[in-house]
Structures are given as structure tokens and as C-alpha cells.
Amino acid sequence: MSEPIAGGAYTAERAAALAGVPGRTVHHWARKGHLLPSVSEAPRLYSFADLLALRVLYWLRRPKHALDHEIPATSMPKIQRAIERIHRLGLDWIEDGQSTLNGDVAINAPGIPAHRVHGQLFQTEVIDVLAPFEGMEGAGGPDLRRPRPLLRILPRKISGAPHIEGTRLPTESVHALAKRG
């Protein structure tokens, strides 16, 4: 059974680090209204679902390679149109830890018929948004289920903070104590 994705409260800096997206990009998308934090806008606090959305949006915004062809990054206007369509249909773009957006921003959700992108069939590329995430510009995010062998991230446990398995000790507290000696 997969973990629920509701919950969590991450600052913009922590959300960027966990999502594997540069902090300046997270702040830029919030300022432009592309991806607003769902927990709080002042201060900016992102939910666990927002972390997944950050990864999907970042993945869509970078070039991809398929069959020896480079596929250009999806433009922000195309992504915005897809997000608006998802909202009009009453869908979430992240469900059960999986993105409902694929390829050139096509919706893959129950009750909606498959369709063509620009009149062509497309092969969906599946990304696991919970797995370790390789970003561009040297950014990268950890596995959002198990960042390290003894660490866990559970969205509804201690506000989604990475913590030592079987405890409620957040890694930030352990780090602060270690720094103090």
C-alpha cells in the first residue's frame, strides 16, 4: 500500500532540496503563479503533494531524449494550459504519488479517453516522482520514501520532516545537536 501524499509543511528552501529543484526556480514559479504553495503563501510552506508537483513541473520544463531524438522542454504556456484544463475537469495533477501528466502534457486519468498529441500517437514516459530525482544544474532530490537506509519521510508524521525510522527525531534536530557537540 502506498503512503498517502497529504500532509507535510516544508519551507521553500526545504521543498527545493527535497524536490531536487533549484531554490530560485521554486521562488520564481511561486512569484509567477505557476506553482503556489498549498499550505501557506506567507510564509511559503509547501505540502508533500507540492513536492511531487515541483518534480513533475521541473521534469516537463527540461529537454528529454527518445529514440535518438531530442524532445524540447515543454513550454510554460503549454503546462499552464494543461493545469487549467485539469482544474476545469476537477482533477488533481498528482494522484496516489503518480503524475497525471505525461509527455507533451497529456492527461491520463480515469474516465477521460486517451487522445493524440498534435495528431500523433505518443508513448508515455513514466517517471517515479518519489524515486531519487536527477535535476539539471547539478540539482537532485532524494528518494521521498526512504532518503537513506534509516531515514523515512511520511507526510503525516512530524509534518513530513525526514526523520530516523521508528522515531520522531527529525534529521534537522539531530544535525543541530551534532553541530553543538
Side-chain angles (χ1 to χ4, degrees):
M1 184 174 149
S2 64
E3 290 295 325
I5 63 170
Y10 308 94
T11 64
E13 291 73 25
R14 190 78 187 255
L18 290 171
V21 176
R24 67 184 178 279
T25 301
V26 172
H27 287 293
H28 175 76
W29 287 344
R31 277 193 312 276
K32 294 289 188 176
H34 300 311
L35 184 65
L36 298 172
S38 64
V39 176
S40 169
E41 288 190 42
R44 287 186 181 140
L45 293 175
Y46 292 81
S47 70
F48 191 78
D50 293 338
L51 297 182
L52 305 181
L54 284 167
R55 284 184 172 194
V56 170
L57 187 55
Y58 194 66
W59 177 81
L60 288 168
R61 291 291 299 140
R62 66 183 191 196
K64 294 153 216 56
H65 300 278
L67 302 173
D68 297 328
H69 290 74
E70 182 164 320
I71 301 167
T74 305
S75 70
M76 193 55 83
K78 282 185 180 181
I79 293 170
Q80 286 300 115
R81 284 192 302 273
I83 292 170
E84 289 166 11
R85 182 173 176 212
I86 288 167
H87 289 304
R88 279 195 312 271
L89 293 170
L91 300 172
D92 289 324
W93 68 316
I94 301 288
E95 293 178 5
D96 298 325
Q98 300 293 321
S99 167
T100 58
L101 302 181
N102 296 311
D104 189 27
V105 189
I107 298 172
N108 179 16
I112 297 176
H115 62 281
R116 296 173 183 256
V117 176
H118 302 295
Q120 298 179 18
L121 294 175
F122 62 93
Q123 178 180 355
T124 60
E125 179 181 336
V126 178
I127 62 168
D128 181 354
V129 295
L130 295 174
F133 188 77
E134 293 299 322
M136 298 184 306
E137 305 145 353
D143 186 309
L144 291 177
R145 292 168 283 234
R146 186 179 273 252
R148 299 266 191 285
L150 296 176
L151 299 183
R152 299 291 172 273
I153 298 176
L154 299 171
R156 294 188 177 161
K157 187 173 184 179
I158 58 172
S159 297
H163 61 279
I164 297 171
E165 181 178 22
T167 74
R168 291 187 170 273
L169 286 171
T171 56
E172 285 183 324
S173 296
V174 174
H175 177 72
L177 288 171
K179 276 180 68 171
R180 284 191 219 159

